[in-house]
Amino acid sequence: MKFFIDTANLDQIREAQDLGVLDGVTTNPSLMAKEGITGKDNIFKHYRKICDIVDGDVSAEVISTDYEGIIREGEELAELHEQIIVKVPMIKDGIKAIKYFSDKGIKTNCTLVFSAGQALLAAKAGATYVSPFIGRLDDISTDGLNLISEIRLIYDNYEFETQILAASVRHTMHVIDCAKLGADVMTGPLSSIEGLLKHPLTDIGLAKFLEDYNKGN
Ligand code: E4P
């Protein structure tokens, strides 16, 4: 299972990278705005900085919603760095653009996916990743994890190569459940990754081992 961090915050990206388990980064326009990164030039510079920190895939989202605009923007983003994955919204022109990018060998992440039907279309179009937003489904009393199971079943039935990127992961249990259900990737905040470290018996056990070791000194 690949671990992506869902942020545009460089310190957090560095921290996750230093842990040695990071496989990539996802961003979106809201995450960029949260870091105060605005305007195309600054946003492009920021993507380059992220690519310099991590070894893996970095999703960079287009803001156009028409076919020509998505193609223009996506090609510019793809040229920025070889690690860039063009993030395209799940809309009609987005699907057409994903097919175009797929034929040209440009990797894509189909974002804002909330149903199995949308995920099926993304795979048919040749998306590299599909991003079902599980946390946002949970927010409206719909089972986000169930969507991961449905997509896994459909993709396995037909051996689609599109990777399921569980997005909008909010906490550590989401990570564990997505792993059980066979998501290929998860993207979440640093806290969702670091939460995997924690167990009180580990802390108690370690304190006791150190205490006993020190008795002999
Ligand atoms: C995915 O690529 C999105 O950036 C992200 O996971 C959305 O998460 P949120 O619902 O916590 O904003």
Side-chain angles (χ1 to χ4, degrees), residues 10-215:
L10 299 181
D11 290 336
Q12 288 188 14
I13 294 170
R14 270 189 214 100
E15 210 175 323
Q17 174 69 22
D18 285 350
L19 195 57
V21 298
L22 191 68
D23 300 296
V25 177
T26 51
T27 61
N28 63 41
S30 305
L31 292 172
M32 282 288 180
K34 195 172 161 193
E35 299 306 317
I37 314 293
T38 54
K40 186 178 162 184
D41 288 352
N42 290 331
I43 289 173
F44 274 38
K45 267 187 221 154
H46 205 71
Y47 284 138
R48 282 202 204 91
K49 285 184 192 166
I50 294 174
C51 290
D52 286 343
I53 298 171
V54 299
D55 299 324
D57 291 346
V58 175
S59 286
E61 187 157 344
V62 300
I63 45 135
S64 298
T65 53
D66 63 297
Y67 178 73
E68 287 76 18
I70 296 172
I71 298 297
R72 193 175 50 247
E73 244 189 279
E75 286 184 331
E76 269 185 88
L77 285 167
E79 269 178 28
L80 259 188
H81 201 284
E82 60 187 11
Q83 284 165 249
I84 293 285
I85 306 294
V86 181
K87 201 172 180 189
V88 180
M90 165 43 75
I91 52 175
K92 198 169 183 179
D93 282 20
I95 286 296
K96 285 164 65 178
I98 286 170
K99 173 68 180 145
Y100 169 89
F101 289 135
S102 162
D103 289 345
K104 285 198 76 176
I106 293 174
K107 290 184 183 170
T108 54
N109 173 358
C110 184
T111 191
L112 289 167
V113 166
F114 293 94
S115 77
Q118 291 179 327
L120 177 56
L121 262 183
K124 287 284 293 172
T128 314
Y129 295 104
V130 64
S131 287
F133 277 36
I134 62 172
R136 292 192 193 188
L137 281 170
D138 288 355
D139 287 344
I140 58 157
S141 312
T142 303
D143 188 354
L145 290 169
N146 183 52
L147 177 58
I148 301 293
S149 316
E150 287 184 332
I151 302 172
R152 181 73 284 154
L153 176 68
I154 292 170
Y155 283 12
D156 287 351
N157 279 348
Y158 298 98
E159 296 181 358
F160 283 120
E161 283 176 13
T162 300
Q163 295 176 57
I164 303 172
L165 196 174
S168 188
V169 158
R170 301 277 171 74
H171 48 72
T172 302
M173 273 316 292
H174 270 159
V175 179
I176 295 166
D177 286 331
C178 285
K180 286 184 190 169
L181 296 172
D184 300 289
V185 192
M186 79 84 201
T187 190
L190 182 59
S191 58
S192 68
I193 299 173
E194 290 189 333
L196 295 166
L197 281 166
K198 294 178 189 162
H199 200 289
L201 291 180
T202 304
D203 300 337
I204 293 167
L206 182 60
K208 178 73 177 143
F209 286 156
L210 295 180
E211 184 192 315
D212 288 346
Y213 173 83
N214 285 323
K215 277 182 193 163

